[in-house]
Amino acid sequence: MIKVFIVEDEIIAVESLTVDLQKIGYEVVGSANDSEKALIKINQTSPDLVLIDINIKGEKDGIVLAEELRNINSIPVVYLTAYADEKTLSRATKTFPFGYIVKPYKIQDLATTIAIALEKYKEVEKIKNQLIEQQAKLEFISKYDELTQLPNQLSLVENFNAILEVFYQQLSYQENIKNNEIPQLIPIFYLNFNRFKLIRDEFGQELSNLLVKALVKRLKANLSEDTIITRLQGDEFALIIPPISTKQVAIDLARMLLEKITPPFIYKQKEIYIDFKIGISFYPLQGQNIDELLYKAKEAIYGLENIGENQFQIYSPALHKYTAKQITLEAQLHHALDRNELELYYQPKVDIKNSKIIGAEALLRWNHPDEKFISPTIFIPIAEETGLIEPIGEWVLNKACEEFNFLHKNYKADLQVAVNLSARQFNQDLLEHKILKILAFHYFNPSLLEIELTESILVRNTSFASKKLNKLKSAGLKIAIDDFGTGYSSLGYLQSFNFDILKIDRCFIKEINTNTKNATITKSLIEMAHQLNLQVVAEGVENEPELAFLHRNNCDYYQGYLFSRPLPFSQFQELLSNNI
Ligand code: C2E
Ligand code: MG
Ligand code: MG
């Protein structure tokens, strides 16, 4: 029988309520007249539902009690009270009650409200459990590399933090040991083999997979068990080495490792040579988090570019940050704005159900005077580093507003435009004011603008980011989480930040119809996003089978070469005119 607990300060009311509840088929497992007693007894009797009078004895009223109950355990609460003024109602609503009955009640109302509350509760619990289940499943499959069974990029943060914890525990034990022998550095190795793409193109995927596996075997054979080997992607690995006391230990290790992993691999009696490079950074010298450390370890490799293969390099601030080419680009980028070399391309965002264009993502292009095409993935980081991203970002927003105003007037009044924001842009002071000022200047409806952010922007300082996001949202803008799957992909972020749109990265969409891991992840992501009221955009859809899969699994929108590459404004306009 369903068990009900009553919190009510009038004995007569408790008695008549008990009789009524029994009449409609419930068991009353106990009652209390103040919140302290109620908490203890509810804990002892584990009821299925609690009826709470708002006006009870003691310091805390029924609403405070309900709030506390909600935090401790998830028992549905129904208020039963003579209070019905607006303020009380609004306070009560905020505790997410499952029902509200005003006294004096009719027994029929009591029965219906409780029945609805229990049903609603069942549904809420079901969704909650599904979410938890999916989350666990996803966390697992998304954190391991299928080919090598090594942890992948997504588990890096977690693994590094676990190592840090042990590191600090050990440091505190060793306080009394001779100072210079305390292991106080954690080396991070970034390892890659340059000709991987070439090998794959020449010998095919199967062989390159075999090579990766053989390499992993060599790595494992020569590294201690507590080294965390992570496959970042294709030919890139990260090694988190257990703490050491001097850099020399890492240098010796890198040397030994190169010696052991560079002998040729034999395949069908042929010798295949692979060249390796290792970049090294140290916690805490070069950074506090694994992102920064890995970035520095990668940067160390740039210094090796002209020295030859099978080398390692330790990060040092004196290392050339950029190659000569990057320095030239940096100088030229300074003039790109004045010389009108920037342009926006638009990639249509398409409704999967009816193939209609509902908006577009603005993607920056630099018409460089000498080079044909420089990818934004190259020049945006330079713009970030130099601060140029701020004026460039303003230019992007102005241009997008201007061009979309034209489209709104001539083609489709509710066409959405998405712009990307990089970390530095997002962290600008008064960002929301700057954006709103530009929108106001163009009389642009904020709800037609989407801001695309990647997770890495948000993780640095989550509470700051969350406040900033909420400000942008309250101005009416839509927020999309971009490239989901390439960063931390913590599903927790989806729940804790107030996003409108989830953009699933191409790495999960690729070959989704044959790659079961990608299929499972994407399917669950879509379901989860929908439960959290997010719309889902699949990125980088390149073929019909991929699209068919997404359609079957209720993905809302897609972008990708299949429908269209990013297009110059005039061509996008033309495409739009044929699609309305
Ligand atoms: P993103 O925001 O994830 O943009 C999607 C990228 O995927 C674009 O690369 C697009 O051309 C590419 N893409 C679209 N469909 C397909 C497909 O079917 N297959 C494949 N393989 N790729 C596809 P793009 O234009 O090179 O931009 C790269 C990144 O540069 C963007 O990634 C974005 O993070 C950044 N970016 C571009 N424009 C801006 C900008 O105005 N401001 C900032 N801060 N970042 C920008
Ligand atoms: Mg984007
Ligand atoms: Mg993206």
Side-chain angles (χ1 to χ4, degrees), residues 344 347 361-365 373 375-377 379-380 389 392-393 396 419-423 425 452 454 482-483 503 505-506 539-542 559-562 564-566:
L344 284 184
Q347 183 172 44
E361 176 175 2
L363 292 159
L364 195 55
R365 295 293 176 257
F373 178 74
S375 162
T377 55
F379 70 80
I380 299 251
I389 194 70
I392 290 180
V396 168
V419 298
N420 293 282
L421 284 198
S422 57
Q425 285 177 281
E452 294 195 1
T454 57
D482 200 2
D483 302 346
K503 297 191 77 174
D505 190 74
R506 159 140 188 82
E539 296 191 294
V541 178
E542 288 189 353
Q559 285 176 230
Y561 295 169
L562 174 66
S564 165
R565 287 184 175 254

Side-chain angles (χ1 to χ4, degrees), residues 265-283:
F265 293 87
I266 313 288
Y267 179 70
K268 292 188 177 161
Q269 278 127 28
K270 255 198 222 147
E271 288 187 331
I272 299 175
Y273 283 89
I274 297 183
D275 299 314
F276 294 96
K277 284 178 179 170
I278 297 177
I280 305 172
S281 64
F282 295 96
Y283 173 86

Side-chain angles (χ1 to χ4, degrees), residues 349 416 418 449-453 473 478-482 494 498-504 529 533-537 557:
K349 190 160 92 180
Q416 300 157 11
L449 177 68
E450 280 166 26
I451 300 288
E452 294 195 1
L453 298 165
K473 282 208 50 148
K478 301 271 184 327
I479 310 288
I481 174 99
D482 200 2
L494 288 188
N498 214 346
F499 302 120
D500 301 284
I501 299 147
L502 170 74
K503 297 191 77 174
I504 304 181
N533 278 331
L534 300 174
Q535 295 182 324
V536 184
V537 182
Y557 310 111

Side-chain angles (χ1 to χ4, degrees), residues 341-495:
E341 290 169 2
L342 297 181
E343 184 180 358
L344 284 184
Y345 273 41
Y346 294 98
Q347 183 172 44
K349 190 160 92 180
V350 183
D351 190 330
I352 290 195
K353 287 183 289 303
N354 57 17
S355 295
K356 291 281 177 229
I357 299 174
I358 59 132
E361 176 175 2
L363 292 159
L364 195 55
R365 295 293 176 257
W366 180 8
N367 297 313
H368 190 276
D370 316 320
E371 316 237 356
K372 259 199 243 107
F373 178 74
I374 305 170
S375 162
T377 55
I378 293 184
F379 70 80
I380 299 251
I382 299 179
E384 268 268 292
E385 188 84 22
T386 53
L388 275 172
I389 194 70
E390 292 184 15
I392 290 180
E394 277 178 30
W395 179 89
V396 168
L397 193 53
N398 271 305
K399 192 76 181 168
C401 285
E402 196 184 302
E403 296 186 320
F404 267 62
N405 266 344
F406 178 83
L407 299 178
H408 290 157
K409 269 198 204 93
N410 294 293
Y411 298 95
K412 200 167 186 286
D414 59 352
L415 204 63
Q416 300 157 11
V417 64
V419 298
N420 293 282
L421 284 198
S422 57
R424 183 156 179 168
Q425 285 177 281
F426 182 71
N427 292 331
Q428 282 176 79
D429 287 336
L430 302 176
L431 172 74
E432 56 286 354
H433 293 279
K434 288 181 184 164
I435 295 181
L436 288 181
K437 211 168 127 192
I438 295 176
L439 294 183
F441 178 80
H442 294 277
Y443 296 103
F444 198 94
N445 178 353
S447 70
L448 295 180
L449 177 68
E450 280 166 26
I451 300 288
E452 294 195 1
L453 298 165
T454 57
E455 282 163 286
S456 56
I457 297 176
L458 304 171
V459 293
R460 293 274 152 91
N461 184 345
T462 43
S463 68
F464 165 82
S466 171
K467 276 192 205 121
K468 203 142 195 179
L469 272 193
N470 286 335
K471 277 190 197 154
L472 292 173
K473 282 208 50 148
S474 56
L477 274 63
K478 301 271 184 327
I479 310 288
I481 174 99
D482 200 2
D483 302 346
F484 193 83
T486 53
Y488 299 83
S489 298
S490 163
L491 298 160
Y493 288 123
L494 288 188
Q495 278 152 312

